[in-house]
Amino acid sequence: MSADKEPGSPESDSSPEAARAGHFVEQFVQDDLSAGKFGGRVQTRFPPEPNGYLHIGHAKSICLNFGIAATFGGICNLRFDDTNPTKEEAEYVRSIEEDVRWLDVGWQGDALYASDYFEQLYQWAVQLIQSGDAFVCDLTFDQIREYRGTLTAPGKESPFRDRTVEDNLDLFARMRQGEFPDGSRTLRAKVDMMASNLNLRDPVMYRILHASHHRTNDDWCIYPMYDFTHGQSDSIEKVTHSICTLEFEDHRPLYDWYLEKLKIDHPRQIEFARLNLTHTVMSKRKLLQLVEEDHVSGWDDPRMPTLSGLRRRGYTPESIRRFCELIGVAKFNGMIDIVQLENCVREHLNQCAPRVLGVLDPLKVVIENYPESKREELQAINNPEDPDAGQRTLPFGREIYIERSDFLEDPPKKFFRLAPGREVRLRYAYFITCRDVVRDPKTDEVVELRCTYDPETLGGKAPDGRKVKGTIHWVSTTDALPVEVRIYDHLFSVENPSDVPDGCDWLDHLNPESLNVLPDVWVEPSLANAQPGEIYQFERNGYFCVDPDSRPGRLVFNRTVTLRDRWAKIEKRQTAGK
Ligand code: ATP
Ligand code: MG
């Protein structure tokens, strides 16, 4: 659906004018600066909850928050919103820090934690009890929900709402001491049970939870709710602009209420639209389910939209930052075509990935007039887009592999590759002509081509001026390295897997073809010492990243993307055919 977004919609507007004008969040910040607010300072934060790995949607938030800080000469912190000990883990903290560092957006490497403010938050809760703005409530969570009412029905006040300040102080202190079991009491803000905004109907501030926290261990058995934590954490850190996604718009009145009641520094909350991408899911709950139920190999499976998955797939930080810049920042939710992300990595890798020759589906070629004992080292250019990338040598001999799809026995006229009697150019080597075909006697499948070469054609030209149209890649059979290649397709076969009809499950849309392992791939020997994380262009076949599963003598590659956007090509053909 997003491929045909209306021109000029903020999500699609990537014109230089739009970039200069700045998006609406930048304009708000600029307005505040012009009005002399916040003493001319700008400070933002990226506040993940450490309950999962970061995904490409988080990257949008990271780029936005760090980008605003950079644009206005301010600072941006990474703050963990770690108020829920039952779902949070140190592993997630570690991975989030790694991912933010990897994105290279200017993070200084000193994470902050909401859990560091637990004592201050407790004192502020006491302050609200003292001012008559909070009370200890003995209703269960279910009862609280019942009393809360709905969008059309007003709420009902808790029978515990009018406890005295003394009783509330005493009970809250005893909640902290661990006297009461989980769920038996809460501390609630006394706002307004008639408020049209449900978030203002006496929201819970603290709950009892006898659970170990990944940083504070067993120091606490009451934990503050997100809404009571977030704004005050912003305030403590002197954040000026608290940028969050649209679903927090309805929480803003409560965010403001706490800060006003507490009479502390008051950052400005600004909401923007979440990033949604086609053919994937972005909710951490769903991503966790994919991992836990083994639909993928882990959080960093190269099919996942997580930053660790994208990194393993071969995405570069530059390509992800570029994507976040291109899609812009909007005030309404939309869906971005994953092709846009793929194009960004393609564009960047085209500039920086060294090129090599690799054959994904080999067909053996014997060059009959090439002496059996002869060996040559041919010169090859590492990256025509980058003059500094230099050259390497490619060993050439009598037997080579070419791509099976580069040969057709009975080709159409416009097939410019190899066929019986036809001549083709071998990249960086000679012209060869196909003379004969060897078949498997049982299956009749073509298993070998017998060719001849023209020794005068090294360097890609024939002295007699005859032309060949096609150039194909190859590797020398005696020198090439056998490797494993993993080819990926979309994780979900439909554009929006979260949009499922009743009775269907989002997991039903998992694409059974999302991983295809190619067992018989051969690459040129210059890759012998390739290291995990390195990315290469296999000429004509796409970009490939060395996987950490690689072992000495057995490299494993993940295909990042194809060289061209094959969907665009297919669509173009279909449109042309109409
Ligand atoms: P989930 O609801 O799936 O658990 P979350 O939004 O609660 O995800 P957080 O760890 O709280 O995850 O997110 C940290 C920050 O990243 C928040 O400010 C959030 O608004 C932002 N963020 C999360 N998902 C997206 C997204 N898809 N696009 C843009 N920003 C996002
Ligand atoms: Mg959240």
Side-chain angles (χ1 to χ4, degrees):
M1 65 177 259
S2 54
D4 42 39
K5 264 208 169 324
E6 279 184 36
S9 83
E11 288 274 352
S12 71
D13 194 349
S14 54
S15 64
E17 291 82 317
R20 261 200 307 275
H23 48 68
F24 78 96
V25 181
E26 280 182 356
Q27 272 160 8
F28 281 160
V29 174
Q30 183 60 58
D31 290 350
D32 287 345
L33 282 181
S34 307
K37 288 193 188 149
F38 306 114
R41 288 172 60 252
V42 171
Q43 186 171 329
T44 55
R45 80 288 168 273
F46 171 64
E49 184 181 352
N51 61 352
Y53 280 54
L54 296 184
H55 53 58
I56 182 78
H58 291 117
K60 175 172 175 175
S61 175
I62 294 169
C63 289
L64 177 57
N65 277 293
F66 281 90
I68 293 270
T71 302
F72 295 97
I75 54 173
C76 180
N77 290 321
L78 168 62
R79 177 177 75 234
F80 289 102
D81 247 328
D82 54 348
T83 55
N84 186 357
T86 57
K87 289 197 175 151
E88 295 164 5
E89 286 175 28
E91 180 205 342
Y92 296 137
V93 169
R94 184 205 55 73
S95 77
I96 289 171
E97 290 188 349
E98 183 184 358
D99 289 346
V100 175
R101 204 171 288 123
W102 176 74
L103 261 189
D104 200 17
V105 285
W107 180 50
Q108 301 302 322
D110 34 12
L112 304 174
Y113 296 86
S115 55
D116 282 348
Y117 313 139
F118 280 171
E119 185 59 40
Q120 173 68 74
L121 290 167
Y122 179 83
Q123 295 306 330
W124 276 329
V126 168
Q127 188 183 321
L128 290 186
I129 294 174
Q130 283 165 339
S131 61
D133 293 307
F135 65 99
V136 172
C137 181
D138 299 358
L139 296 180
T140 63
F141 282 111
D142 284 342
Q143 288 169 322
I144 290 177
R145 204 171 306 123
E146 241 170 72
Y147 275 60
R148 193 162 60 159
T150 63
L151 283 174
T152 48
K156 205 165 73 178
E157 290 189 351
S158 161
F160 306 98
R161 203 174 194 262
D162 294 322
R163 276 184 163 141
T164 62
V165 169
E166 288 66 37
D167 281 355
N168 282 322
L169 286 174
D170 172 63
L171 284 170
F172 190 49
R174 287 162 61 197
M175 278 168 65
R176 178 179 183 169
Q177 294 314 314
E179 268 189 44
F180 311 119
D182 287 1
S184 59
R185 289 197 160 89
T186 56
L187 182 73
R188 296 176 67 183
K190 210 187 275 185
V191 189
D192 180 5
M193 288 310 286
M194 300 297 149
S196 57
N197 184 333
L198 295 178
N199 292 311
L200 293 177
R201 294 187 187 169
D202 292 5
V204 173
M205 294 164 58
Y206 270 88
R207 62 208 193 285
I208 301 174
L209 209 57
H210 292 265
S212 241
H213 184 278
H214 69 108
R215 294 187 79 242
T216 58
N217 303 313
D218 296 318
D219 292 353
W220 296 87
C221 61
I222 54 171
Y223 289 93
M225 301 300 287
Y226 173 87
D227 280 328
F228 187 66
T229 310
H230 196 83
Q232 285 83 298
S233 301
D234 285 343
S235 185
I236 290 171
E237 291 168 8
K238 304 220 170 306
V239 167
T240 59
H241 295 86
S242 183
I243 302 166
C244 58
T245 36
L246 285 180
E247 69 273 21
F248 291 103
E249 202 162 9
D250 288 346
H251 295 244
R252 177 151 34 103
L254 182 57
Y255 180 102
D256 292 339
W257 190 88
Y258 285 131
L259 295 172
E260 272 154 30
K261 287 287 174 192
L262 292 169
K263 299 186 179 62
I264 54 178
D265 284 347
H266 196 147
R268 172 173 183 180
Q269 179 176 306
I270 305 170
E271 304 89 11
F272 71 101
R274 304 174 81 83
L275 167 67
N276 296 303
L277 260 192
T278 57
H279 297 287
T280 192
V281 292
M282 215 80 89
S283 124
K284 280 191 278 189
R285 184 181 57 77
K286 287 183 177 157
L287 295 174
L288 178 65
Q289 195 179 341
L290 289 173
V291 172
E292 285 186 333
E293 295 178 3
D294 291 329
H295 299 293
V296 293
S297 65
W299 284 98
D300 68 345
D301 186 301
R303 291 167 292 181
M304 291 279 270
T306 52
L307 295 184
S308 49
L310 290 166
R311 174 163 66 237
R312 190 164 170 186
R313 176 83 170 254
Y315 277 77
T316 56
E318 290 88 341
S319 62
I320 291 176
R321 296 200 306 264
R322 173 75 184 133
F323 171 72
C324 293
E325 185 187 322
L326 268 182
I327 59 175
V329 181
K331 193 73 191 174
F332 42 85
N333 285 314
M335 172 90 75
I336 299 287
D337 198 317
I338 199 164
V339 165
Q340 288 203 45
L341 178 63
E342 292 168 352
N343 281 339
C344 287
V345 75
R346 205 172 266 130
E347 202 172 289
H348 185 229
L349 293 181
N350 182 46
Q351 296 158 24
C352 67
R355 298 183 190 191
V356 294
L357 303 187
V359 174
L360 301 184
D361 183 16
L363 176 61
K364 191 164 145 189
V365 170
V366 178
I367 303 167
E368 292 181 321
N369 61 338
Y370 196 91
E372 223 154 306
S373 55
K374 188 171 169 181
R375 309 266 308 132
E376 281 179 276
E377 294 287 336
L378 307 179
Q379 287 296 311
I381 296 164
N382 289 336
N383 187 353
E385 301 280 325
D386 176 5
D388 297 334
Q391 299 204 343
R392 68 189 186 287
T393 57
L394 283 175
F396 186 78
R398 182 179 155 90
E399 287 190 5
I400 59 173
Y401 290 129
I402 65 165
E403 210 71 64
R404 187 166 281 277
S405 57
D406 281 336
F407 170 79
L408 276 184
E409 259 198 299
D410 189 15
K413 213 166 165 207
K414 291 224 159 146
F415 184 79
F416 299 121
R417 292 168 266 168
L418 212 50
R422 290 210 191 164
E423 190 169 40
V424 79
R425 182 188 292 108
L426 294 178
R427 180 76 157 148
Y428 298 123
Y430 302 94
F431 290 9
I432 56 168
T433 304
C434 178
R435 304 292 174 190
D436 206 356
V437 164
V438 182
R439 295 172 187 286
D440 182 314
K442 280 199 204 104
T443 63
D444 208 36
E445 190 197 14
V446 175
V447 290
E448 187 180 303
L449 303 179
R450 308 296 292 189
C451 295
T452 56
Y453 86 116
D454 179 350
E456 302 296 317
T457 53
L458 188 59
K461 279 205 181 83
D464 63 5
R466 76 179 188 280
K467 296 268 185 281
V468 297
K469 274 212 169 142
T471 302
I472 65 174
H473 59 277
W474 54 275
V475 291
S476 149
T477 59
T478 44
D479 304 277
L481 312 168
V483 301
E484 176 181 317
V485 161
R486 299 173 182 168
I487 303 281
Y488 300 99
D489 197 352
H490 300 139
L491 188 50
F492 291 89
S493 42
V494 297
E495 278 203 349
N496 186 359
S498 298
D499 181 20
V500 285
D502 283 348
C504 287
D505 192 78
W506 61 282
L507 287 168
D508 296 342
H509 295 300
L510 273 171
N511 175 7
E513 314 282 323
S514 62
L515 170 61
N516 182 16
V517 179
L518 305 183
D520 191 22
V521 178
W522 297 84
V523 298
E524 63 170 79
S526 73
L527 285 174
N529 295 315
Q531 297 299 310
E534 289 177 2
I535 309 161
Y536 296 89
Q537 182 191 118
F538 291 8
E539 290 201 21
R540 302 174 67 226
N541 275 326
Y543 296 98
F544 294 77
C545 181
V546 183
D547 192 85
D549 283 349
S550 299
R551 296 285 164 262
R554 184 68 178 174
L555 288 168
V556 176
F557 286 91
N558 298 311
R559 182 156 76 186
T560 315
V561 276
T562 51
L563 288 186
R564 255 167 259 117
D565 170 0
R566 72 201 149 104
W567 298 111
K569 254 190 350 197
I570 291 166
E571 267 171 34
K572 207 167 145 193
R573 213 179 303 144
Q574 282 171 346
T575 325
K578 264 183 201 152

